[in-house]
Amino acid sequence: MTVSTGIITEEHKKQFQEEGYFILERAICEEHLQIVRDACDHLIDLMHEEMDRLGTDHIHISHRGKRYHIAKKYDQAPRLEEYVFSDLMAEICQATIGDTSYLFYDQYVVKAAEKGIKFSWHQDSGYLGFLHRPYVTVWAAVDDMTLENGTVDVLPYSTVGIRSLVEHIRDPETGDKTGYFGKEPGVTAVVPAGSLAVFSSLTFHRSGANTTDKMRRAYVTQYSPEPIIDPETQHPKHLVVPFLQDGERVVS
């Protein structure tokens, strides 16, 4: 059963296949956008509590008051699942990866005022380190996104000339992986809050530093067409939460 919100057009689907991405402005309804914002605040509060318990100001690559990367917590914030498994996400999955999909990963990326660092050009698939079927990334603008606060840039397939997985090099200082070192600027998503950048895990993208005096929040959900299994461990990589099966919703 095909889900249709009327937001995604045939042109969006064609652009995803030919260029690896499309952008939807003001796609998230106000109720869900507020849920995503409230969930971000809730999860940051939980991280602060854990930092206090551990007597530290940083956990992994999250630093208090500077930047937060909060991953795989979709089920630990009130009502966040309503957005993650919404009709809109179902329609995006069907338009990009097909009628069967699994939640593979979710993450808040919060760049604090004047402190958030940039991320280099990379493919999401480049972080896995093994071959797999491409998945789709849905990057949600929780706040208005500008050049100044470090929005996302994407490189269309036709611009970079690459639509397959390439080797990435890790920066020993930041831990970032980089797979493209060219001069192309890409397409910049200067969009209002509630907008989405939808791109393949093979699409190169990056984000700039937040140079404003306000926090910049984005929420990323990723959906795979099948469970992604680590060949070394034979265990699932990250999440394997069934969402759609042959076009039918598995979760509500």
Side-chain angles (χ1 to χ4, degrees):
M1 181 174 64
T2 301
V3 176
S4 178
T5 64
I7 294 175
I8 299 177
T9 67
E10 291 301 316
E11 283 301 309
H12 289 129
K13 297 176 185 178
K14 181 180 179 182
Q15 184 175 327
F16 185 85
Q17 294 301 319
E18 294 182 354
E19 298 287 14
Y21 82 99
F22 58 82
I23 294 173
L24 302 172
E25 291 199 13
R26 292 188 170 92
I28 306 174
C29 68
E30 285 299 323
E31 181 182 8
H32 282 179
L33 181 56
Q34 192 59 51
I35 288 172
V36 172
R37 286 173 169 161
D38 292 343
C40 184
D41 293 341
H42 176 76
L43 292 173
I44 288 176
D45 287 344
L46 291 182
M47 178 165 281
H48 286 167
E49 291 177 6
E50 182 65 6
M51 287 177 176
D52 292 342
R53 187 185 71 82
L54 296 173
T56 183
D57 283 327
H58 67 90
I59 296 176
H60 303 304
I61 60 174
S62 294
H63 294 259
R64 191 194 304 261
K66 296 181 180 180
R67 69 179 186 185
Y68 300 92
H69 289 248
I70 304 174
K72 296 186 283 190
K73 304 289 185 182
Y74 76 96
D75 56 350
Q76 296 185 28
R79 299 184 63 191
L80 187 53
E81 289 176 278
E82 293 180 32
Y83 166 78
V84 173
F85 300 116
S86 62
D87 285 349
L88 177 58
M89 295 302 113
E91 184 177 7
I92 288 172
C93 287
Q94 288 185 304
T96 56
I97 59 173
D99 286 338
T100 296
S101 59
Y102 299 78
L103 177 65
F104 170 64
Y105 201 75
D106 80 297
Q107 177 178 238
Y108 278 100
V109 181
V110 180
K111 298 184 178 184
E114 300 178 345
K115 294 188 181 293
I117 65 172
K118 64 182 181 179
F119 289 93
S120 57
W121 286 116
H122 66 280
Q123 300 166 307
D124 285 337
S125 286
Y127 275 85
L128 294 190
F130 55 86
L131 293 176
H132 55 277
R133 285 180 66 188
Y135 52 93
V136 63
T137 293
V138 184
W139 183 95
V142 183
D143 301 302
D144 292 341
M145 292 292 168
T146 65
L147 285 170
E148 292 74 22
N149 70 5
T151 190
V152 69
D153 301 318
V154 296
L155 272 178
Y157 289 154
S158 62
T159 298
V160 70
I162 298 171
R163 54 189 306 155
S164 59
L165 183 61
V166 303
E167 183 179 359
H168 286 55
I169 298 173
R170 186 180 293 276
D171 186 317
E173 292 186 6
T174 65
D176 288 359
K177 285 188 172 184
T178 304
Y180 174 71
F181 298 89
K183 302 296 185 182
E184 293 291 345
V187 176
T188 303
V190 177
V191 292
S195 300
L196 301 174
V198 179
F199 47 88
S200 168
S201 63
L202 297 176
T203 301
F204 281 102
H205 59 285
R206 67 178 179 184
S207 64
N210 181 8
T211 61
T212 73
D213 60 357
K214 295 181 180 179
M215 183 174 289
R216 176 281 226 189
R217 300 168 292 180
Y219 183 51
V220 174
T221 50
Q222 298 174 325
Y223 305 88
S224 61
E226 63 186 13
I228 297 180
I229 305 299
D230 188 324
E232 289 189 1
T233 66
Q234 294 303 310
H235 292 131
K237 190 75 172 180
H238 301 309
L239 303 173
V240 184
V241 183
F243 181 19
L244 300 175
Q245 183 67 47
D246 297 326
E248 297 292 335
R249 186 183 295 272
V250 179
V251 297
S252 58

